[in-house]
Amino acid sequence: MHSIGRFAPSPSGLLHFGSFITALASYLQAKAKQGEWLVRIEDLDPPREVAGAAKHILTTLEKLGLHWDKEIVYQSARLDEYQHILDQLVQQKRAYYCDCSRQRIQHLPHHLYDNHCQNRHLKPSVDNSMAIRLKQNHPICHFIDNIRGRQNITQAVAREDFTIKRKDNLFAYNLAVVIDDHYQGVTEIVRGADLLPVTTKQISLYLLLGWQLPSYYHLPLVLDQNHNKLSKQNHATPIKLDNIGQLMVDGLRFLGQPIPEDWQDATPQQLLMWAISHWNIDYVPKYDKMFNYE
């Protein structure tokens, strides 16, 4: 099968070292298999977006030599497709409206939704203020991650009817990401380990829709000095492009990859080509780790 990978940043901030790691690893995994590497801008949550961030992310990728193979997909341009599939799920009684408050769910055991609205047969409200949940008929309790091995979750988590459209009328990540990865033909999903908990939900949606499952590779998270995930929410410093060669080497070291002895004499593009030819997913660490990036 032809390998297709992707990098799917949200424009909620500029690229930091953690998101660079995801971009680099997904690129190398695809290119080492002579596959395609795609880029998708996940701009589904306007209140969280930073003006100009999407353009800056794409410019940064180009400067790093990480060039995508097909046209950029913007989730904000695909709302009709999400709604079409959502409508089908509701009509087929595979999804239902839910008016439960966040406070109610917070008071439930382990904060897991109890599928309270599944048989209430609610109708859509005039102001669209209800969520829509997927009726969980394909509960997935485990899957194989190609970096971390078998991943297990409890039956209670697997059977939870999860949100596919939010109360604020925004499409949920778990719905949009599955639809778009299928639409783009993605065969290998290389992303951060913070998304491990939602993977079984996404697999269950793939199965419900009858679509071919991709392979999953969850990368270690970059931790700061306080052992917190490096993220835009934690105000991670954007990567600097004044020494791309050093940045590339830092990224390869974090990913456990070999480094050429004379890397200081290589151009960033030569480093990238070397990294593709020596890429080995088996060397990627299985656990999150601190990394001092300056």
Side-chain angles (χ1 to χ4, degrees), residues 182-199:
H182 174 72
Y183 166 73
Q184 292 187 278
V186 174
T187 62
E188 297 187 313
I189 295 177
V190 180
R191 60 189 186 185
D194 53 323
L195 292 167
L196 274 168
V198 299
T199 303

Side-chain angles (χ1 to χ4, degrees), residues 6-53:
R6 52 78 158 170
F7 176 54
S10 63
S12 55
L14 309 184
L15 284 187
H16 54 73
F17 189 71
S19 48
F20 164 67
I21 288 296
T22 302
L24 179 63
S26 60
Y27 180 88
L28 294 175
Q29 176 68 8
K31 293 303 176 181
K33 293 187 173 185
Q34 292 81 47
E36 294 177 303
W37 186 68
L38 313 178
V39 173
R40 180 171 70 240
I41 300 296
E42 299 197 329
D43 53 348
L44 272 186
D45 196 346
R48 293 182 59 240
E49 289 177 27
V50 173

Side-chain angles (χ1 to χ4, degrees), residues 7 14-25 191-192 194 219-223 229-232 236-239 247 254-255 291 293:
F7 176 54
L14 309 184
L15 284 187
H16 54 73
F17 189 71
S19 48
F20 164 67
I21 288 296
T22 302
L24 179 63
R191 60 189 186 185
D194 53 323
L219 303 167
L221 300 179
V222 183
L223 306 179
K229 169 197 166 189
L230 209 62
S231 68
K232 298 164 188 172
T237 304
I239 57 172
L247 175 64
F254 180 86
L255 291 166
F291 193 87
Y293 163 71

